Amino acid sequence: MNTIERKNIEKENRRQDILDAAVTVMKSHGLHGLSIDLIAHETNLAKGTIYLYFKNKEEILSILTIRARTLLIKDFQKIEKNKESNIEQLKSILKSNYLFYKKNSLYYDLVSLYEVNNRMTETEEMQQSGEKIMKIVVGIAGRAREEGTLNPKISPVILAMSLWGMAVGMLQLIKVRGAIMKEKLNISEKDLLNSFIQLLENGVKK
Amino acid sequence: MNTIERKNIEKENRRQDILDAAVTVMKSHGLHGLSIDLIAHETNLAKGTIYLYFKNKEEILSILTIRARTLLIKDFQKIEKNKESNIEQLKSILKSNYLFYKKNSLYYDLVSLYEVNNRMTETEEMQQSGEKIMKIVVGIAGRAREEGTLNPKISPVILAMSLWGMAVGMLQLIKVRGAIMKEKLNISEKDLLNSFIQLLENGVKK
Amino acid sequence: MNTIERKNIEKENRRQDILDAAVTVMKSHGLHGLSIDLIAHETNLAKGTIYLYFKNKEEILSILTIRARTLLIKDFQKIEKNKESNIEQLKSILKSNYLFYKKNSLYYDLVSLYEVNNRMTETEEMQQSGEKIMKIVVGIAGRAREEGTLNPKISPVILAMSLWGMAVGMLQLIKVRGAIMKEKLNISEKDLLNSFIQLLENGVKK
Amino acid sequence: MNTIERKNIEKENRRQDILDAAVTVMKSHGLHGLSIDLIAHETNLAKGTIYLYFKNKEEILSILTIRARTLLIKDFQKIEKNKESNIEQLKSILKSNYLFYKKNSLYYDLVSLYEVNNRMTETEEMQQSGEKIMKIVVGIAGRAREEGTLNPKISPVILAMSLWGMAVGMLQLIKVRGAIMKEKLNISEKDLLNSFIQLLENGVKK
DNA sequence: CATGAATGAGTCTTCATTCAT
DNA sequence: TATGAATGAAGACTCATTCAT
């Protein structure tokens, strides 16, 4: 029984190794440049071996997306446990989202992959991870409303959705135009982010 | 000289035909399904001929993006000529952006393509088209500030950038999650859009 | 010695289990869908274990063919023990052959496999099983000749061979074209089989 | 217009070259060993080029089958134009079938491919070629009946079907067991064929 | 200018077989 | 004996790009 457990752990480790390799490949070849061949090369495994651990190339992509979302969820959950006021928590979430992106920009590539390509349907698990993120934000917004700091006209669900959409949009903007903005307009990412948060705070408050 | 000019015009016409065909193909096969083969077939030209007018498949994509942006710019310029107050103009721009997406969702696929794939660097011309959009928004924001309706703490440039990022993000959200939000949460696109605009109006006002 | 015998018996049992599993797999996945992986899964054995009992995938196939032939031989032997006249026995063999195919069409896939693919040479054992079938038919034909019901010009061996070839051909025809014949020409399998037997009876008689 | 015609002819020639190469490959590697790679190598073309001329590997196989059947049909049509009696024509068809197989045994591999593999559905064109063969035989059988040489109890259609099935079966027998029969039983192919024909003649006559 | 045949690297995936444990 | 992870050759198919005509 003990050996079975060990086997399972090793198997899981190997899965993670392959996923890590996939991330490495994506970092150097781009999301689109990911191929089973390259993953095999990166892991020093044979091509066929990859298929012992994953049914599909798509399964790898989908798990990677879930992984990214899970990491983000953890960041968000930490914020929820803060003793900050709910409105501050909302702001922290926006900041945390930004910091997460800076640490792991690949994540946004993965998110975009599923957003751009209609043909790639999300698995049940992926949808759940997406909904979990939203629930956290909805929860905080709801409590902020009860707290009295939030404009009561705005539904918490719609607010959460809007925040999420805007935040993702802002990060994409930073990613694509960040360098140019800095160079040509002398606008730092920080400035942009702070203004964005400030703007939302104003818009959201009672 | 005259014949040279004519030749140039004809060449430009041919380029536009090819671009039109590319759009047609993308409409039925999706961004990903675009291939030189299909463009050639759609134009009744030979595959090699396409390469007489465009260096690359990428060039076609890049020009198509510029074209999309140009269409959007025209929409925005109409708004600028309105007699609305500047703050109303800003709101109109957000709405117009949404309507443009509804009419031509292909555009957002193209935008995303360049955002997702780091390896596709924007050409000078593409950057200019991007900047032109921004200039319009910056202009309106600046006048709104002078008008006194805008919070003077917010720099017009940063505001314009933020609006743009948020608007794109909102549209992607609608595109990807729109159906699910409607179905599971009973949130319509209209609700979301209006809340978004309302939120920004509050945030932006003095 | 006793333990060695027991070991041998166990080994043989295990071989039979694997062969049974192979048949099960083929029934649900078709001749072409047979894979070592599926056999291993069906037997709850590891893939490598299969190779302890069989040198090859081909060995499995070849033994399965022998097994099928052996089953057919048993059917034929029952007929031989009948009290029918020899000419009736010949007819019974043709019918029995058809019934065997209806019950176990897998058999004909296996036969065909060896007929189509030149590279799969029959083992000594396979040839023997083939010859055994032929001997039975030759025997009946010989006795029919002595009986006086058979045209004496025809050699029993050649007759047996011809019957065998024709019978197999008829079954393949039924298998491949049976449905179409029924549908387009309204010819039932029964009609075809009876005509075939009648035709041979006429041709064979004195 | 002339050049278009020439192009078409060249294209058709190239198609035939590829088909010829496929036959060559099959002769040396067997029906199952046919691969696009080998065809490409045999033709000195690139792999992708094969796909300019054929949609599929299956298309190649299917056309090859039609080709084989067409050749056989031509042989049969020659027989129909003979001045032999209809019963002799039937016998000639059986002989011709045998000779065709001896010249081009690949044909029977192709026929068998579609007979063995249920998953490979015949195209419309393939079915037509199959039916054409049958029509010729049915025609001769029908005329033989009118002629009075054929047993009137046997329907021409069923007879034709039976003949076809039996003939194919006999050839497979010769193919698979021919060498062994010669060696062990001293039965020549000729003996077998003649007996087969004789047997059918007896069985078929009035 | 225009053609379109040809290319060939690249993609995912399968599966019989081996071998260290 | 038994395992099952690992292999890697082989397979079908795609498509941006080139180039001789």
Side-chain angles (χ1 to χ4, degrees):
Chain A
M1 195 65 88
N2 212 325
T3 53
I4 289 179
E5 273 176 29
R6 182 172 304 171
K7 287 256 165 144
N8 278 339
I9 289 173
E10 269 174 25
K11 177 143 193 169
E12 185 53 32
N13 285 344
R14 187 52 75 90
R15 269 174 78 91
Q16 293 302 327
D17 289 348
I18 293 172
L19 291 171
D20 290 343
V23 169
T24 305
V25 169
M26 282 172 66
K27 274 180 182 158
S28 59
H29 289 74
L31 178 65
H32 247 70
L34 182 68
S35 79
I36 298 293
D37 250 338
L38 286 174
I39 295 176
H41 190 260
E42 180 69 28
T43 49
N44 288 322
L45 290 173
K47 232 185 303 191
T49 309
I50 308 295
Y51 284 90
L52 295 178
Y53 292 91
F54 298 95
K55 189 171 104 264
N56 253 347
K57 185 183 166 181
E58 195 167 335
E59 194 189 4
I60 292 176
L61 250 10
S62 120
I63 291 180
L64 241 30
T65 304
I66 293 171
R67 185 200 258 202
R69 287 181 181 167
T70 304
L71 287 173
L72 191 63
I73 287 170
K74 279 183 189 153
D75 279 4
F76 283 6
Q77 285 172 335
K78 276 187 206 151
I79 292 172
E80 255 190 320
K81 286 173 191 149
N82 272 355
K83 293 297 167 200
E84 298 177 321
S85 72
N86 288 301
I87 197 90
E88 285 303 314
Q89 282 186 3
L90 277 182
K91 286 164 67 180
S92 292
I93 273 184
L94 295 175
K95 278 180 204 157
S96 171
N97 198 29
Y98 169 75
L99 292 174
F100 179 78
Y101 152 72
K102 292 303 283 185
K103 250 195 310 193
N104 186 5
S105 73
L106 209 55
Y107 166 66
Y108 278 90
D109 291 348
L110 283 169
V111 167
S112 299
L113 177 67
Y114 282 86
E115 290 184 353
V116 168
N117 199 331
N118 288 334
R119 265 157 273 275
M120 301 183 95
T121 39
E122 295 204 336
T123 62
E124 185 63 27
E125 209 181 346
M126 287 179 71
Q127 287 188 21
Q128 282 173 13
S129 66
E131 284 173 18
K132 201 162 189 176
I133 291 177
M134 217 44 65
K135 267 181 195 158
I136 294 177
V137 185
V138 172
I140 299 178
R143 288 190 292 278
R145 203 196 209 180
E146 291 166 14
E147 194 182 78
T149 45
L150 197 69
N151 185 336
K153 283 182 198 157
I154 309 174
S155 127
V157 181
I158 290 182
L159 175 62
M161 289 292 178
S162 302
L163 286 182
W164 183 248
M166 290 185 269
V168 169
M170 284 304 292
L171 292 193
Q172 286 182 343
L173 182 73
I174 287 174
K175 186 180 164 197
V176 184
R177 310 241 176 251
I180 289 176
M181 288 194 293
K182 179 75 199 162
E183 194 187 321
K184 293 208 176 175
L185 305 172
N186 200 30
I187 298 176
S188 73
E189 293 184 8
K190 272 260 148 89
D191 289 346
L192 200 59
L193 184 73
N194 286 331
S195 281
F196 166 61
I197 292 175
Q198 183 63 47
L199 195 154
L200 287 187
E201 189 175 5
N202 288 346
V204 143
K205 272 191 178 163
K206 204 168 180 174
Chain B
M1 194 67 89
N2 212 325
T3 52
I4 290 180
E5 270 178 29
R6 179 172 306 172
K7 288 243 169 162
N8 278 339
I9 288 173
E10 271 175 23
K11 176 148 190 168
E12 185 51 30
N13 285 344
R14 186 58 73 88
R15 274 172 72 93
Q16 292 303 326
D17 289 348
I18 293 171
L19 292 170
D20 289 343
V23 169
T24 305
V25 171
M26 282 173 67
K27 274 180 183 159
S28 58
H29 289 75
L31 177 65
H32 224 73
L34 182 69
S35 76
I36 299 293
D37 244 339
L38 287 172
I39 296 175
H41 188 259
E42 181 69 30
T43 50
N44 290 322
L45 287 174
K47 230 190 299 195
T49 310
I50 308 291
Y51 284 88
L52 295 176
Y53 292 92
F54 297 95
K55 188 172 105 262
N56 252 347
K57 186 183 167 181
E58 191 169 337
E59 196 190 359
I60 293 176
L61 251 10
S62 113
I63 293 180
L64 240 32
T65 305
I66 294 171
R67 186 197 259 204
R69 288 180 181 165
T70 305
L71 287 173
L72 190 63
I73 287 169
K74 280 184 186 151
D75 279 4
F76 284 6
Q77 284 171 337
K78 276 187 205 150
I79 292 172
E80 253 189 322
K81 285 174 191 148
N82 272 354
K83 293 298 169 200
E84 298 176 320
S85 72
N86 288 301
I87 197 91
E88 285 302 317
Q89 282 186 3
L90 278 182
K91 284 166 67 180
S92 292
I93 272 183
L94 295 174
K95 277 179 202 154
S96 171
N97 197 30
Y98 168 75
L99 292 173
F100 180 77
Y101 151 73
K102 292 304 283 184
K103 247 195 313 197
N104 188 4
S105 71
L106 213 55
Y107 166 67
Y108 278 91
D109 291 346
L110 282 169
V111 167
S112 298
L113 181 68
Y114 282 86
E115 290 182 354
V116 167
N117 200 329
N118 288 334
R119 255 142 292 279
M120 301 186 94
T121 39
E122 293 204 336
T123 61
E124 184 63 27
E125 210 181 348
M126 287 177 72
Q127 289 186 20
Q128 283 172 14
S129 68
E131 284 171 22
K132 201 162 188 175
I133 292 177
M134 218 44 63
K135 268 182 195 156
I136 295 178
V137 186
V138 172
I140 300 179
R143 288 191 292 278
R145 201 196 210 178
E146 289 165 16
E147 194 181 80
T149 45
L150 198 68
N151 185 336
K153 283 183 197 157
I154 309 175
S155 129
V157 181
I158 289 182
L159 175 62
M161 289 292 179
S162 301
L163 286 182
W164 184 246
M166 289 184 271
V168 169
M170 285 302 294
L171 291 192
Q172 286 183 343
L173 182 73
I174 287 173
K175 186 180 166 196
V176 185
R177 311 257 173 232
I180 288 178
M181 287 194 295
K182 181 74 200 160
E183 194 187 319
K184 292 207 176 177
L185 305 172
N186 201 29
I187 299 175
S188 72
E189 292 185 10
K190 272 261 150 88
D191 291 345
L192 202 60
L193 185 73
N194 287 332
S195 280
F196 166 62
I197 292 176
Q198 182 65 46
L199 196 155
L200 287 187
E201 190 175 6
N202 288 347
V204 141
K205 272 192 178 162
K206 204 169 181 173
Chain C
M1 194 66 88
N2 212 325
T3 53
I4 290 180
E5 271 178 30
R6 180 173 305 172
K7 288 244 168 162
N8 278 339
I9 288 173
E10 271 175 22
K11 177 148 190 168
E12 185 51 32
N13 285 343
R14 188 57 73 89
R15 275 172 72 93
Q16 291 303 327
D17 289 348
I18 293 172
L19 292 171
D20 288 344
V23 169
T24 305
V25 170
M26 282 173 66
K27 274 181 182 159
S28 59
H29 289 74
L31 176 66
H32 226 73
L34 182 68
S35 77
I36 298 293
D37 245 338
L38 287 173
I39 296 176
H41 188 260
E42 181 70 28
T43 50
N44 290 320
L45 289 173
K47 230 188 304 194
T49 310
I50 308 291
Y51 283 88
L52 295 177
Y53 293 92
F54 296 95
K55 189 172 105 263
N56 251 348
K57 186 182 168 182
E58 191 168 337
E59 196 191 358
I60 293 176
L61 250 12
S62 113
I63 294 181
L64 240 32
T65 305
I66 294 171
R67 187 197 257 204
R69 287 180 181 167
T70 305
L71 286 174
L72 190 63
I73 287 169
K74 281 183 188 152
D75 279 5
F76 283 7
Q77 284 171 336
K78 277 187 206 150
I79 292 172
E80 253 190 321
K81 287 173 190 147
N82 272 354
K83 292 300 167 197
E84 296 176 321
S85 71
N86 289 300
I87 197 91
E88 284 302 316
Q89 281 187 4
L90 277 182
K91 284 165 68 179
S92 292
I93 272 183
L94 295 175
K95 277 179 202 157
S96 172
N97 197 31
Y98 169 74
L99 292 173
F100 179 78
Y101 152 73
K102 291 305 282 185
K103 247 196 312 197
N104 186 5
S105 73
L106 213 55
Y107 167 66
Y108 278 91
D109 291 346
L110 282 169
V111 167
S112 297
L113 180 68
Y114 282 86
E115 289 183 354
V116 168
N117 200 328
N118 288 333
R119 255 142 293 278
M120 302 186 94
T121 39
E122 295 203 336
T123 61
E124 184 64 27
E125 210 181 347
M126 288 178 71
Q127 288 186 20
Q128 283 171 13
S129 68
E131 284 172 20
K132 202 160 185 178
I133 293 177
M134 218 44 65
K135 268 181 196 156
I136 295 178
V137 186
V138 172
I140 301 180
R143 287 189 293 279
R145 201 196 211 182
E146 291 164 15
E147 194 181 79
T149 44
L150 197 70
N151 185 335
K153 282 183 198 156
I154 310 174
S155 128
V157 181
I158 289 181
L159 174 64
M161 289 291 178
S162 301
L163 286 182
W164 183 247
M166 291 184 270
V168 169
M170 285 303 293
L171 291 193
Q172 286 183 345
L173 182 74
I174 286 174
K175 186 180 166 194
V176 185
R177 310 258 173 230
I180 289 178
M181 286 194 294
K182 180 74 201 162
E183 193 188 319
K184 292 206 176 177
L185 305 173
N186 201 30
I187 298 176
S188 72
E189 293 185 9
K190 272 261 150 88
D191 290 344
L192 202 59
L193 185 73
N194 287 333
S195 280
F196 166 61
I197 292 176
Q198 182 66 46
L199 195 154
L200 287 187
E201 190 176 5
N202 289 347
V204 143
K205 272 192 178 163
K206 203 170 181 176
Chain D
M1 194 64 88
N2 212 324
T3 54
I4 289 179
E5 272 177 30
R6 183 173 305 173
K7 288 254 167 148
N8 279 339
I9 289 173
E10 270 175 24
K11 177 143 193 170
E12 185 52 32
N13 285 343
R14 188 51 75 91
R15 268 174 78 91
Q16 293 303 328
D17 289 348
I18 293 172
L19 291 172
D20 290 343
V23 169
T24 305
V25 170
M26 283 171 67
K27 274 181 183 159
S28 59
H29 290 74
L31 179 65
H32 246 72
L34 184 69
S35 80
I36 299 293
D37 250 337
L38 286 173
I39 296 176
H41 190 260
E42 179 70 30
T43 50
N44 290 320
L45 290 173
K47 229 185 308 190
T49 309
I50 308 295
Y51 285 90
L52 295 178
Y53 293 91
F54 298 94
K55 188 172 105 265
N56 252 347
K57 184 184 167 181
E58 195 166 336
E59 194 189 4
I60 293 176
L61 250 10
S62 118
I63 292 180
L64 240 30
T65 304
I66 294 171
R67 185 200 258 202
R69 287 180 181 168
T70 305
L71 287 174
L72 191 63
I73 287 170
K74 278 183 190 154
D75 279 4
F76 283 7
Q77 286 171 333
K78 276 186 206 150
I79 292 171
E80 254 189 321
K81 285 171 192 152
N82 272 354
K83 293 298 167 197
E84 297 175 321
S85 71
N86 288 301
I87 197 89
E88 285 302 314
Q89 281 187 3
L90 278 182
K91 284 165 69 181
S92 292
I93 272 183
L94 296 175
K95 277 180 203 155
S96 172
N97 197 31
Y98 168 75
L99 292 174
F100 179 77
Y101 151 72
K102 291 306 282 185
K103 250 195 307 193
N104 186 5
S105 73
L106 211 56
Y107 165 68
Y108 278 91
D109 291 347
L110 283 168
V111 168
S112 298
L113 179 68
Y114 282 87
E115 290 184 352
V116 169
N117 200 331
N118 288 335
R119 267 156 273 273
M120 301 183 94
T121 39
E122 296 203 335
T123 63
E124 183 65 28
E125 208 181 347
M126 287 178 71
Q127 286 187 21
Q128 282 172 12
S129 67
E131 284 173 19
K132 202 162 188 175
I133 292 177
M134 216 46 63
K135 266 180 196 158
I136 294 178
V137 186
V138 172
I140 300 179
R143 287 190 292 278
R145 203 196 210 181
E146 291 165 16
E147 193 182 79
T149 46
L150 198 69
N151 186 335
K153 285 182 195 156
I154 310 174
S155 125
V157 180
I158 289 182
L159 175 62
M161 289 291 178
S162 302
L163 286 183
W164 183 248
M166 289 185 268
V168 169
M170 283 304 293
L171 291 192
Q172 286 183 345
L173 181 73
I174 287 174
K175 187 180 163 197
V176 183
R177 312 242 175 250
I180 289 175
M181 286 194 293
K182 180 73 200 163
E183 194 188 319
K184 293 207 176 176
L185 306 173
N186 200 31
I187 298 175
S188 73
E189 294 184 7
K190 272 257 148 93
D191 290 343
L192 201 59
L193 184 73
N194 285 333
S195 282
F196 166 62
I197 293 176
Q198 181 66 46
L199 195 155
L200 288 186
E201 189 176 5
N202 288 346
V204 142
K205 273 191 177 165
K206 203 169 179 175

PDB file of all heavy atoms in Angstrom, chain D residues 57-69:
ATOM      1  N   LYS D  57      -5.041   9.318 -47.756  1.00  0.00           N
ATOM      2  CA  LYS D  57      -4.471   8.011 -48.060  1.00  0.00           C
ATOM      3  C   LYS D  57      -5.605   7.110 -48.558  1.00  0.00           C
ATOM      4  O   LYS D  57      -5.432   6.326 -49.484  1.00  0.00           O
ATOM      5  CB  LYS D  57      -3.831   7.420 -46.815  1.00  0.00           C
ATOM      6  CG  LYS D  57      -3.130   6.100 -47.058  1.00  0.00           C
ATOM      7  CD  LYS D  57      -2.600   5.536 -45.769  1.00  0.00           C
ATOM      8  CE  LYS D  57      -2.197   4.078 -45.952  1.00  0.00           C
ATOM      9  NZ  LYS D  57      -1.703   3.487 -44.707  1.00  0.00           N
ATOM     10  N   GLU D  58      -6.741   7.254 -47.943  1.00  0.00           N
ATOM     11  CA  GLU D  58      -7.865   6.394 -48.308  1.00  0.00           C
ATOM     12  C   GLU D  58      -8.296   6.622 -49.760  1.00  0.00           C
ATOM     13  O   GLU D  58      -8.690   5.690 -50.440  1.00  0.00           O
ATOM     14  CB  GLU D  58      -9.043   6.640 -47.361  1.00  0.00           C
ATOM     15  CG  GLU D  58     -10.077   5.538 -47.474  1.00  0.00           C
ATOM     16  CD  GLU D  58     -11.098   5.552 -46.334  1.00  0.00           C
ATOM     17  OE1 GLU D  58     -10.767   6.085 -45.248  1.00  0.00           O
ATOM     18  OE2 GLU D  58     -12.198   5.051 -46.552  1.00  0.00           O
ATOM     19  N   GLU D  59      -8.191   7.864 -50.200  1.00  0.00           N
ATOM     20  CA  GLU D  59      -8.563   8.139 -51.589  1.00  0.00           C
ATOM     21  C   GLU D  59      -7.666   7.354 -52.536  1.00  0.00           C
ATOM     22  O   GLU D  59      -8.114   6.816 -53.549  1.00  0.00           O
ATOM     23  CB  GLU D  59      -8.470   9.636 -51.905  1.00  0.00           C
ATOM     24  CG  GLU D  59      -9.174   9.993 -53.205  1.00  0.00           C
ATOM     25  CD  GLU D  59      -8.925  11.425 -53.653  1.00  0.00           C
ATOM     26  OE1 GLU D  59      -8.151  12.157 -53.009  1.00  0.00           O
ATOM     27  OE2 GLU D  59      -9.495  11.820 -54.667  1.00  0.00           O
ATOM     28  N   ILE D  60      -6.392   7.307 -52.213  1.00  0.00           N
ATOM     29  CA  ILE D  60      -5.470   6.540 -53.045  1.00  0.00           C
ATOM     30  C   ILE D  60      -5.903   5.084 -53.093  1.00  0.00           C
ATOM     31  O   ILE D  60      -6.005   4.476 -54.162  1.00  0.00           O
ATOM     32  CB  ILE D  60      -4.037   6.660 -52.488  1.00  0.00           C
ATOM     33  CG1 ILE D  60      -3.543   8.100 -52.651  1.00  0.00           C
ATOM     34  CG2 ILE D  60      -3.096   5.694 -53.197  1.00  0.00           C
ATOM     35  CD1 ILE D  60      -2.183   8.353 -52.060  1.00  0.00           C
ATOM     36  N   LEU D  61      -6.157   4.549 -51.938  1.00  0.00           N
ATOM     37  CA  LEU D  61      -6.579   3.147 -51.859  1.00  0.00           C
ATOM     38  C   LEU D  61      -7.857   2.916 -52.665  1.00  0.00           C
ATOM     39  O   LEU D  61      -7.985   1.934 -53.391  1.00  0.00           O
ATOM     40  CB  LEU D  61      -6.833   2.801 -50.395  1.00  0.00           C
ATOM     41  CG  LEU D  61      -5.886   1.859 -49.653  1.00  0.00           C
ATOM     42  CD1 LEU D  61      -4.637   1.558 -50.452  1.00  0.00           C
ATOM     43  CD2 LEU D  61      -5.538   2.413 -48.299  1.00  0.00           C
ATOM     44  N   SER D  62      -8.779   3.847 -52.515  1.00  0.00           N
ATOM     45  CA  SER D  62     -10.067   3.643 -53.159  1.00  0.00           C
ATOM     46  C   SER D  62      -9.924   3.726 -54.679  1.00  0.00           C
ATOM     47  O   SER D  62     -10.511   2.943 -55.414  1.00  0.00           O
ATOM     48  CB  SER D  62     -11.075   4.659 -52.613  1.00  0.00           C
ATOM     49  OG  SER D  62     -11.557   5.507 -53.607  1.00  0.00           O
ATOM     50  N   ILE D  63      -9.122   4.677 -55.152  1.00  0.00           N
ATOM     51  CA  ILE D  63      -8.935   4.788 -56.600  1.00  0.00           C
ATOM     52  C   ILE D  63      -8.218   3.576 -57.148  1.00  0.00           C
ATOM     53  O   ILE D  63      -8.522   3.086 -58.235  1.00  0.00           O
ATOM     54  CB  ILE D  63      -8.168   6.086 -56.932  1.00  0.00           C
ATOM     55  CG1 ILE D  63      -9.055   7.289 -56.614  1.00  0.00           C
ATOM     56  CG2 ILE D  63      -7.750   6.099 -58.404  1.00  0.00           C
ATOM     57  CD1 ILE D  63      -8.407   8.605 -56.889  1.00  0.00           C
ATOM     58  N   LEU D  64      -7.275   3.102 -56.378  1.00  0.00           N
ATOM     59  CA  LEU D  64      -6.554   1.912 -56.810  1.00  0.00           C
ATOM     60  C   LEU D  64      -7.498   0.721 -56.943  1.00  0.00           C
ATOM     61  O   LEU D  64      -7.371  -0.102 -57.855  1.00  0.00           O
ATOM     62  CB  LEU D  64      -5.457   1.603 -55.782  1.00  0.00           C
ATOM     63  CG  LEU D  64      -4.008   1.596 -56.223  1.00  0.00           C
ATOM     64  CD1 LEU D  64      -3.735   2.550 -57.358  1.00  0.00           C
ATOM     65  CD2 LEU D  64      -3.110   1.898 -55.044  1.00  0.00           C
ATOM     66  N   THR D  65      -8.439   0.661 -56.048  1.00  0.00           N
ATOM     67  CA  THR D  65      -9.407  -0.433 -56.110  1.00  0.00           C
ATOM     68  C   THR D  65     -10.283  -0.296 -57.341  1.00  0.00           C
ATOM     69  O   THR D  65     -10.533  -1.275 -58.062  1.00  0.00           O
ATOM     70  CB  THR D  65     -10.279  -0.431 -54.849  1.00  0.00           C
ATOM     71  OG1 THR D  65      -9.433  -0.515 -53.709  1.00  0.00           O
ATOM     72  CG2 THR D  65     -11.232  -1.613 -54.846  1.00  0.00           C
ATOM     73  N   ILE D  66     -10.726   0.920 -57.581  1.00  0.00           N
ATOM     74  CA  ILE D  66     -11.526   1.154 -58.785  1.00  0.00           C
ATOM     75  C   ILE D  66     -10.732   0.788 -60.028  1.00  0.00           C
ATOM     76  O   ILE D  66     -11.233   0.146 -60.951  1.00  0.00           O
ATOM     77  CB  ILE D  66     -11.967   2.630 -58.860  1.00  0.00           C
ATOM     78  CG1 ILE D  66     -12.935   2.934 -57.721  1.00  0.00           C
ATOM     79  CG2 ILE D  66     -12.620   2.930 -60.205  1.00  0.00           C
ATOM     80  CD1 ILE D  66     -13.248   4.396 -57.579  1.00  0.00           C
ATOM     81  N   ARG D  67      -9.475   1.210 -60.027  1.00  0.00           N
ATOM     82  CA  ARG D  67      -8.612   0.923 -61.162  1.00  0.00           C
ATOM     83  C   ARG D  67      -8.547  -0.586 -61.406  1.00  0.00           C
ATOM     84  O   ARG D  67      -8.692  -1.063 -62.536  1.00  0.00           O
ATOM     85  CB  ARG D  67      -7.215   1.455 -60.848  1.00  0.00           C
ATOM     86  CG  ARG D  67      -6.256   1.333 -61.984  1.00  0.00           C
ATOM     87  CD  ARG D  67      -4.832   1.403 -61.479  1.00  0.00           C
ATOM     88  NE  ARG D  67      -4.229   2.728 -61.712  1.00  0.00           N
ATOM     89  CZ  ARG D  67      -2.914   2.911 -61.755  1.00  0.00           C
ATOM     90  NH1 ARG D  67      -2.079   1.906 -61.556  1.00  0.00           N
ATOM     91  NH2 ARG D  67      -2.425   4.103 -61.961  1.00  0.00           N
ATOM     92  N   ALA D  68      -8.343  -1.314 -60.348  1.00  0.00           N
ATOM     93  CA  ALA D  68      -8.248  -2.768 -60.475  1.00  0.00           C
ATOM     94  C   ALA D  68      -9.549  -3.333 -61.027  1.00  0.00           C
ATOM     95  O   ALA D  68      -9.554  -4.144 -61.957  1.00  0.00           O
ATOM     96  CB  ALA D  68      -7.929  -3.377 -59.113  1.00  0.00           C
ATOM     97  N   ARG D  69     -10.649  -2.862 -60.467  1.00  0.00           N
ATOM     98  CA  ARG D  69     -11.931  -3.374 -60.936  1.00  0.00           C
ATOM     99  C   ARG D  69     -12.168  -3.018 -62.396  1.00  0.00           C
ATOM    100  O   ARG D  69     -12.714  -3.809 -63.163  1.00  0.00           O
ATOM    101  CB  ARG D  69     -13.067  -2.789 -60.087  1.00  0.00           C
ATOM    102  CG  ARG D  69     -13.113  -3.415 -58.699  1.00  0.00           C
ATOM    103  CD  ARG D  69     -14.231  -2.846 -57.871  1.00  0.00           C
ATOM    104  NE  ARG D  69     -14.243  -3.447 -56.538  1.00  0.00           N
ATOM    105  CZ  ARG D  69     -14.952  -2.995 -55.517  1.00  0.00           C
ATOM    106  NH1 ARG D  69     -15.713  -1.916 -55.678  1.00  0.00           N
ATOM    107  NH2 ARG D  69     -14.915  -3.579 -54.354  1.00  0.00           N
TER     108      ARG D  69
END
